[in-house]
Amino acid sequence: MEQENVNTVKYPAQLDIKFAKVALSLGLTKRELFVKMVEYFYRTKKDPTDINDELMKNTLAKNHKAYTSFIKAQENLLLIPMKESMDRMINNQKEIVKYFNEQVINANKTIIKNLNTTENLITKSLQDKDRIKAIFLQILNNYIKSREELGTFKTREKEELADTVRNQIKYL
Protein backbone atom coordinates (compact mmCIF):
# COMPACT_ATOMS: atom_id res chain seq x y z
CA MET A 1 0.00 0.00 0.00
CA GLU A 2 1.12 3.45 -0.84
CA GLN A 3 1.43 6.02 1.91
CA GLU A 4 -0.95 8.94 1.58
CA ASN A 5 -0.18 12.34 2.78
CA VAL A 6 -1.56 11.99 6.29
CA ASN A 7 -2.20 14.73 8.77
CA THR A 8 -2.72 14.18 12.42
CA VAL A 9 -5.26 15.67 14.75
CA LYS A 10 -4.63 15.82 18.45
CA TYR A 11 -7.53 15.51 20.86
CA PRO A 12 -7.92 14.42 24.52
CA ALA A 13 -7.80 10.75 25.51
CA GLN A 14 -11.33 10.93 26.98
CA LEU A 15 -12.63 12.02 23.56
CA ASP A 16 -10.71 9.16 21.91
CA ILE A 17 -12.69 6.66 24.02
CA LYS A 18 -15.99 8.17 22.80
CA PHE A 19 -14.66 8.35 19.24
CA ALA A 20 -13.66 4.67 19.32
CA LYS A 21 -17.10 3.64 20.67
CA VAL A 22 -18.92 5.57 17.93
CA ALA A 23 -16.65 4.08 15.23
CA LEU A 24 -17.15 0.57 16.63
CA SER A 25 -20.94 0.95 16.82
CA LEU A 26 -21.01 2.08 13.15
CA GLY A 27 -18.64 -0.67 12.07
CA LEU A 28 -16.00 1.78 10.85
CA THR A 29 -12.42 2.52 11.70
CA LYS A 30 -11.71 5.78 13.44
CA ARG A 31 -10.13 7.14 10.28
CA GLU A 32 -13.20 6.18 8.13
CA LEU A 33 -15.54 7.74 10.70
CA PHE A 34 -13.51 10.93 10.72
CA VAL A 35 -13.61 11.15 6.92
CA LYS A 36 -17.39 10.59 6.89
CA MET A 37 -17.93 13.22 9.61
CA VAL A 38 -15.97 15.83 7.68
CA GLU A 39 -17.81 14.93 4.45
CA TYR A 40 -21.19 15.16 6.29
CA PHE A 41 -20.55 18.62 7.74
CA TYR A 42 -19.09 19.82 4.44
CA ARG A 43 -22.13 18.72 2.39
CA THR A 44 -24.89 19.69 4.83
CA LYS A 45 -23.23 22.93 5.87
CA LYS A 46 -24.32 22.28 9.42
CA ASP A 47 -22.56 23.87 12.29
CA PRO A 48 -21.05 21.10 14.47
CA THR A 49 -20.97 23.43 17.47
CA ASP A 50 -24.76 23.81 17.27
CA ILE A 51 -25.90 20.64 18.99
CA ASN A 52 -29.58 21.56 18.72
CA ASP A 53 -29.21 22.33 15.01
CA GLU A 54 -31.21 25.55 14.82
CA LEU A 55 -31.30 25.36 11.02
CA MET A 56 -33.16 22.03 11.21
CA LYS A 57 -35.46 23.38 13.90
CA ASN A 58 -36.24 26.46 11.82
CA THR A 59 -36.89 24.37 8.71
CA LEU A 60 -39.18 22.02 10.62
CA ALA A 61 -41.04 24.91 12.24
CA LYS A 62 -41.41 26.64 8.85
CA ASN A 63 -42.71 23.41 7.26
CA HIS A 64 -45.04 22.84 10.22
CA LYS A 65 -46.46 26.35 9.85
CA ALA A 66 -46.89 25.82 6.10
CA TYR A 67 -48.70 22.50 6.64
CA THR A 68 -50.88 24.00 9.37
CA SER A 69 -51.78 26.96 7.14
CA PHE A 70 -52.55 24.61 4.25
CA ILE A 71 -54.78 22.44 6.45
CA LYS A 72 -56.61 25.49 7.82
CA ALA A 73 -57.12 26.82 4.30
CA GLN A 74 -58.45 23.43 3.16
CA GLU A 75 -60.68 23.29 6.20
CA ASN A 76 -62.17 26.69 5.38
CA LEU A 77 -62.38 26.07 1.63
CA LEU A 78 -63.49 22.43 1.57
CA LEU A 79 -64.17 20.71 4.84
CA ILE A 80 -66.47 23.22 6.53
CA PRO A 81 -68.61 23.82 3.39
CA MET A 82 -68.75 20.05 2.76
CA LYS A 83 -69.86 19.41 6.34
CA GLU A 84 -72.49 22.14 6.11
CA SER A 85 -73.73 20.73 2.80
CA MET A 86 -73.86 17.23 4.22
CA ASP A 87 -75.76 18.47 7.28
CA ARG A 88 -78.28 20.23 5.01
CA MET A 89 -78.57 17.11 2.86
CA ILE A 90 -79.12 14.90 5.91
CA ASN A 91 -81.80 17.28 7.22
CA ASN A 92 -83.47 17.33 3.80
CA GLN A 93 -83.39 13.54 3.68
CA LYS A 94 -84.98 13.40 7.13
CA GLU A 95 -87.71 15.80 5.99
CA ILE A 96 -88.31 13.74 2.84
CA VAL A 97 -88.55 10.53 4.85
CA LYS A 98 -90.88 12.20 7.35
CA TYR A 99 -93.10 13.57 4.56
CA PHE A 100 -93.04 10.24 2.73
CA ASN A 101 -93.96 8.36 5.90
CA GLU A 102 -96.84 10.74 6.59
CA GLN A 103 -98.11 10.39 3.03
CA VAL A 104 -97.78 6.60 3.08
CA ILE A 105 -99.48 6.32 6.48
CA ASN A 106 -102.35 8.56 5.37
CA ALA A 107 -102.68 6.66 2.09
CA ASN A 108 -102.64 3.35 3.96
CA LYS A 109 -105.35 4.61 6.35
CA THR A 110 -107.48 5.67 3.38
CA ILE A 111 -106.93 2.34 1.63
CA ILE A 112 -107.83 0.41 4.78
CA LYS A 113 -110.95 2.54 5.25
CA ASN A 114 -111.97 1.94 1.62
CA LEU A 115 -111.24 -1.78 1.90
CA ASN A 116 -113.34 -2.01 5.06
CA THR A 117 -116.19 -0.15 3.34
CA THR A 118 -115.91 -2.41 0.29
CA GLU A 119 -115.79 -5.48 2.49
CA ASN A 120 -118.92 -4.34 4.33
CA LEU A 121 -120.70 -3.70 1.03
CA ILE A 122 -119.69 -7.11 -0.32
CA THR A 123 -120.75 -8.82 2.91
CA LYS A 124 -124.09 -6.98 2.83
CA SER A 125 -124.51 -7.82 -0.84
CA LEU A 126 -123.81 -11.50 -0.17
CA GLN A 127 -126.25 -11.46 2.74
CA ASP A 128 -128.86 -9.75 0.55
CA LYS A 129 -128.22 -12.31 -2.18
CA ASP A 130 -128.66 -15.17 0.26
CA ARG A 131 -131.83 -13.53 1.64
CA ILE A 132 -133.23 -13.04 -1.89
CA LYS A 133 -132.43 -16.66 -2.74
CA ALA A 134 -134.24 -17.81 0.36
CA ILE A 135 -137.30 -15.66 -0.41
CA PHE A 136 -137.27 -16.75 -4.05
CA LEU A 137 -137.05 -20.38 -3.01
CA GLN A 138 -139.98 -19.81 -0.63
CA ILE A 139 -142.03 -18.18 -3.42
CA LEU A 140 -141.13 -20.99 -5.82
CA ASN A 141 -142.05 -23.66 -3.31
CA ASN A 142 -145.39 -21.90 -2.57
CA TYR A 143 -146.07 -21.64 -6.30
CA ILE A 144 -145.32 -25.31 -6.90
CA LYS A 145 -147.46 -26.34 -3.93
CA SER A 146 -150.36 -24.05 -4.87
CA ARG A 147 -150.28 -25.17 -8.50
CA GLU A 148 -150.41 -28.80 -7.52
CA GLU A 149 -153.39 -28.12 -5.27
CA LEU A 150 -155.31 -26.36 -8.02
CA GLY A 151 -155.43 -29.35 -10.26
CA THR A 152 -155.37 -29.42 -14.04
CA PHE A 153 -158.63 -27.73 -15.09
CA LYS A 154 -158.55 -24.37 -13.30
CA THR A 155 -156.88 -22.21 -15.94
CA ARG A 156 -158.04 -18.88 -14.62
CA GLU A 157 -156.80 -19.60 -11.10
CA LYS A 158 -153.49 -20.85 -12.54
CA GLU A 159 -153.08 -17.54 -14.38
CA GLU A 160 -153.84 -15.58 -11.19
CA LEU A 161 -151.30 -17.70 -9.31
CA ALA A 162 -148.68 -17.09 -12.02
CA ASP A 163 -149.38 -13.31 -11.90
CA THR A 164 -149.10 -13.32 -8.11
CA VAL A 165 -145.75 -15.14 -8.25
CA ARG A 166 -144.47 -12.79 -10.96
CA ASN A 167 -145.37 -9.78 -8.81
CA GLN A 168 -143.69 -11.31 -5.75
CA ILE A 169 -140.49 -11.95 -7.74
CA LYS A 170 -140.68 -8.47 -9.24
CA TYR A 171 -140.59 -6.90 -5.74
CA LEU A 172 -137.58 -8.89 -4.56
Side-chain angles (χ1 to χ4, degrees), residues 62-76:
K62 184 178 176 183
N63 286 341
H64 179 72
K65 285 179 185 176
Y67 289 138
T68 304
S69 297
F70 174 76
I71 290 170
K72 284 182 180 179
Q74 293 303 308
E75 181 181 37
N76 289 332

Side-chain angles (χ1 to χ4, degrees), residues 96-132:
I96 289 169
V97 168
K98 180 182 172 188
Y99 178 76
F100 182 74
N101 284 340
E102 288 173 359
Q103 293 301 313
V104 168
I105 289 170
N106 288 337
N108 286 345
K109 286 179 181 177
T110 304
I111 289 170
I112 289 171
K113 181 181 172 187
N114 290 340
L115 285 175
N116 287 337
T117 304
T118 305
E119 179 187 15
N120 290 339
L121 289 174
I122 290 171
T123 303
K124 187 175 184 255
S125 174
L126 289 174
Q127 289 170 349
D128 289 347
K129 184 179 176 184
D130 288 342
R131 187 180 55 80
I132 290 171

